């Protein structure tokens, strides 16, 4: 839902459409996202229009940034170990 909202504001029904979920289930998801501060919701008559609130996502990105290098290095080491293991297996 968040990736969809990154493109443009959408109604709850539009957010639910790509998923196998009821409107009520989508509305519950929207409430959770709103409670987490990840979306803003505007009520226009019976339609609820949701917009992405990028601030909290930017904060999470800033918090996680230092760990990217750590995990990239670890995954590179794992890849090298797997390649070496495959090469040794082929040599036998």
């Amino acid at each position: 839902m968040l990736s969809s909202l990154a493109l443009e504001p959408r109604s709850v029904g539009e957010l639910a459409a790509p998923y196998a979920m009821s409107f009520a289930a989508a509305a519950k998801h929207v409430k959770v996202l709103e409670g987490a501060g990840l979306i803003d919701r505007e009520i226009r008559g019976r339609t609820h229009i949701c917009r992405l609130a990028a601030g909290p996502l930017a904060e999470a990105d800033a918090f996680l940034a230092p760990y990217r290098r750590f995990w990239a290095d670890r995954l590179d080491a794992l890849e090298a170990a797997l390649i070496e293991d495959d090469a040794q297996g082929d040599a036998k």
Side-chain angles (χ1 to χ4, degrees):
M1 287 184 176
L2 292 177
S3 60
S4 176
L5 290 173
L7 302 173
E8 65 182 333
R10 299 193 189 275
S11 69
V12 175
E14 290 170 329
L15 291 172
Y19 306 100
M21 68 170 49
S22 66
F23 180 86
K28 286 181 182 180
H29 281 280
V30 165
K31 280 192 171 198
V32 170
L33 293 171
E34 186 178 26
L38 297 174
I39 67 169
D40 295 318
R41 188 167 40 122
E42 175 188 347
I43 301 172
R44 295 183 194 161
R46 293 180 54 184
T47 304
H48 293 222
I49 303 298
C50 303
R51 288 182 177 71
L52 183 65
L57 293 174
E59 290 175 29
D61 182 58
F63 174 79
L64 294 170
Y67 300 101
R68 280 194 194 94
R69 182 79 255 155
F70 170 80
W71 285 111
D73 290 345
R74 295 288 188 189
L75 291 171
D76 288 346
L78 175 61
E79 180 183 30
L82 292 172
I83 290 170
E84 182 180 332
D85 188 51
D86 281 348
Q88 288 176 357
D90 290 342
K92 290 181 184 178

